[in-house]
Amino acid sequence: MATQTLAVWATNLEFDSLPASVVEAAVRSFHNWAGCAIGGSTHPATQIARKTLAAFAGSPTSTILGSVEKTDAQTAALINGISSHVYDYDDTHLATVIHPAGPVASALLAATQHDIAKVGSVDGKAFIVALVAGIEAACKVGLAVYPDHYDVGWHITGTAGSIGAAVAVAKILNLDVQAMQWAIGIAATQVTGLREQFGSMTKSFHPGRAAQNGLLAAMLASNGYDSSLASLEAKRGWANVVSASNRLETVLQGLGSTWETEQNTFKPFPCGIVIHPAIDGAIQIHNETQDQHQNIDAARIQSVHLTVHPLVLELTGKRNPKTGLEAKFSVYHGAAVGLLFGRAGLAQFTDDVATHPTVVHLRDKVDATSDASLRPDEARVRVDFGEGVASEKHVQHAVGSLEAPMTNEQLDAKFVEQCAPVLGEDIAKKSSDHCWLLRDVDDVGAFAFMALS
Amino acid sequence: MATQTLAVWATNLEFDSLPASVVEAAVRSFHNWAGCAIGGSTHPATQIARKTLAAFAGSPTSTILGSVEKTDAQTAALINGISSHVYDYDDTHLATVIHPAGPVASALLAATQHDIAKVGSVDGKAFIVALVAGIEAACKVGLAVYPDHYDVGWHITGTAGSIGAAVAVAKILNLDVQAMQWAIGIAATQVTGLREQFGSMTKSFHPGRAAQNGLLAAMLASNGYDSSLASLEAKRGWANVVSASNRLETVLQGLGSTWETEQNTFKPFPCGIVIHPAIDGAIQIHNETQDQHQNIDAARIQSVHLTVHPLVLELTGKRNPKTGLEAKFSVYHGAAVGLLFGRAGLAQFTDDVATHPTVVHLRDKVDATSDASLRPDEARVRVDFGEGVASEKHVQHAVGSLEAPMTNEQLDAKFVEQCAPVLGEDIAKKSSDHCWLLRDVDDVGAFAFMALS
């Protein structure tokens, strides 16, 4: 029944049944996704994908975020999905480590702009309903197979994301329950994303292809292309094939009573999320120690000691990162730049900063100890300045966690940080402001082309 | 090393190193694929896919088989892959149950026609080398994970087919070893095909999407989009994620010494291959029993008993098929039409025949017993005519098996059976004749547009 349960729920979902907190969370997810996709639009991976796809692209209906160019909806879904993930700066549903907005919003916006002829212009409320349906679908099916599915090696953002993208597009197309089930089935059969690709461009291909998988699935289903009606739960269906165990029926019973969209979080720092508590503590110490020029005297620092959850050293223990990409997987680097600059944004994870002598010198003074009694979002940071002077911070919940979420102002600053190099500072600020108004937009397709490119 | 082993082998493969028997087998695979794709071009699944994709399609470079229309290469790969499989009439590599030509040839032809500007026109020999590289790649990686991978529920034609398609296109693009590894990686991460979709249109979507996956992977890699260089063998790479066990290193050592292309077989009947021995026996009994009008008196038949390999009832045990598609998964239907008509072609797997009272009446008299001592291509068929009269056939190796392969003349007849309703009888015969000349064609792209549409 799982496939039908999901399809019935999504088909019936209405804006007025969404709690205000879910609408707010959906708008925050959209805002963060748009900033990441614009910011990632100039990355080499995105550029190669654009160049490659241009040779096949069709009728230019849909916005490429960060560009005034349009392309066909399938191509736009793929490219925007790639660019939204390419800096590892996108949203995180912590219970599943899914980055849901990449696949779901990329597919949904592309479809919305493509299908104006069929469904008319889509307003903000209808868009938000479909976005929520897609995020809920991705995260619920993800929850049902987590952690076995992730542990064996699937990049769950791609695998569950395809299903979420299909549900979102099927919703905006007003498909009936049966066609919604077909869309879920066609998406489920395209299981995209191996964790072996982490560290290569193909990692960001996963949410892109997932967006395209879901879009294609819903479009095929809308024209009568059928699939199994039990694709999620059947013996040789999705959950059983991609995971050693699952809780599909139980989890899907929670649709509409617990909202995964509200559980979506946003990264303050473009690096592995387990480093965030240490960076948070380092920035707090920077802020208390800085002089009137907002600098701290790194030469005074004798040593830095981090106490962190064991996952931190397992996932992000790179001692001597040589590139910006490697630095994203170094807790030592994160703490060093947090102390030095009071921030750890895109500018602190470049090749130049990773190899800058001042950074390297301070990074070499950082050591770290694992402590299994800490939570993953908790850390202790202690800085010794010599002569008995020290500063210590205990970060209970890192900024960006569920308990200490990014404020809308922080999301604004993050948006502008990412988008100013692409759009210019003024337009970046305006785009950020516009995204908060999503709910009241009359025509999301036109809005996106005006505000996000 | 597996990914590198495959990439090095494929990169170095040359026409002159192919045994004549492999070239002959490749041409037979191409011929059978072309006939199936033309024959399947008017099927509703293909038509829906064409209609859906037309809305996104780009520059029309590549042939849609069975149609004078062209479309962009990605769309052509998807559509031709669907149409080649939609009647379950395509080739079968028996050791893995992969249908390799669908994904591989669909991607390769589309890419060949797309990339004339880049690589110049492709002649028959170059095309055959790439086709063999792709078929070998798909079947070898399939062998490495078979049967665990298939048993858990993957449609191996889609999953291994994506990798084969990528290798074929990468070969025609003359990618170097590293780019070939990237292409393999991007293809491997798109794991397409759940067996739950058997019996729906989405089954034929699998080889289509696999063709497109591989084409996109190779095109991205050709522009520098990178992936892991160890995507097949890494801990969280393809083989370990999609199968409980694998023999990747061992199997890939056999590249170039054992040729899977030679092991490819061609179906005499458009239905699940495990039914073929029972149909073969039923047709033999028909031929011995028919009157001068080539009819047999079904009313005389008291009962029909089949003894079959256990897979037959597991895969094709549908007792009361209501549609032509369901009838393909009914050994009872296969035996009944074999007895009644002396044939089991496309005309015997229509909705009308599946529900025709005479067929249903005879089908109800058929029962079947599993016998694990039989081979999958073996069956016993016993027909009781009452009054102590019975006829029994022991089929040692069904027609179309490796031991009793379809002759080129039988492949000609099969081609015309499929293509005459689409192209007309005369053109169908000419197309069939042309396909045998593949090796000596100067420009496969132009040839395909002339001969296959």
Side-chain angles (χ1 to χ4, degrees), chain A residues 227-440:
Chain A
S227 78
S228 162
L229 296 174
S231 295
L232 296 177
E233 71 273 25
K235 181 182 172 194
R236 293 199 174 97
W238 186 79
N240 286 316
V241 173
V242 304
S243 183
S245 70
N246 74 79
R247 303 180 293 133
L248 206 50
E249 299 294 338
T250 318
V251 171
L252 291 187
Q253 290 307 316
L255 282 165
S257 56
T258 56
W259 296 90
E260 306 308 325
T261 307
E262 286 186 309
Q263 308 292 312
N264 208 15
T265 68
F266 309 102
K267 286 184 178 179
F269 317 118
C271 58
I273 202 162
V274 293
I275 313 182
H276 292 198
I279 296 175
D280 189 345
I283 290 175
Q284 290 184 40
I285 293 174
H286 170 97
N287 290 340
E288 291 180 4
T289 314
Q290 66 186 353
D291 60 24
Q292 69 271 33
H293 305 294
Q294 302 187 332
N295 292 322
I296 70 163
D297 182 1
R300 269 184 65 212
I301 297 177
Q302 305 294 308
S303 66
V304 180
H305 189 73
L306 314 174
T307 312
V308 294
H309 184 271
L311 263 181
V312 175
L313 293 179
E314 185 185 328
L315 298 177
T316 57
K318 275 196 193 292
R319 192 59 264 189
N320 296 303
K322 298 276 186 284
T323 66
L325 187 58
E326 285 186 354
K328 291 168 181 280
F329 299 92
S330 171
V331 67
Y332 311 105
H333 183 84
V337 297
L339 278 170
L340 262 183
F341 304 109
R343 47 191 298 144
L346 291 173
Q348 284 72 46
F349 290 96
T350 62
D351 294 354
D352 284 348
V353 170
T355 54
H356 191 282
T358 309
V359 172
V360 173
H361 191 63
L362 179 56
R363 199 164 64 201
D364 287 343
K365 297 180 188 171
V366 183
D367 67 25
T369 309
S370 287
D371 180 347
S373 74
L374 298 187
R375 291 179 306 276
D377 65 345
E378 184 179 7
R380 289 197 176 79
V381 181
R382 179 188 165 89
V383 179
D384 280 304
F385 293 97
E387 302 170 3
V389 181
S391 182
E392 181 157 4
K393 290 289 163 190
H394 180 192
V395 177
Q396 293 274 0
H397 298 286
V399 57
S401 67
L402 275 174
E403 289 76 6
M406 294 270 279
T407 63
N408 286 2
E409 292 68 33
Q410 289 172 317
L411 288 175
D412 264 329
K414 176 182 171 184
F415 189 105
V416 173
E417 177 208 4
Q418 293 183 93
C419 301
V422 180
L423 304 178
E425 180 109 1
D426 286 351
I427 296 178
K429 282 180 177 164
K430 276 186 199 158
S431 290
S432 182
D433 292 344
H434 281 307
C435 285
W436 296 122
L437 306 176
L438 178 65
R439 178 190 158 143
D440 299 316

Side-chain angles (χ1 to χ4, degrees), chain B residues 111-123:
Chain B
T112 296
Q113 295 181 315
H114 174 84
D115 251 32
I116 286 174
K118 196 184 267 180
V119 299
S121 65
V122 169
D123 68 18

Side-chain angles (χ1 to χ4, degrees), chain B residues 205-217:
Chain B
F205 175 77
H206 298 161
R209 191 62 163 174
Q212 206 185 30
N213 290 342
L215 175 63
L216 177 60

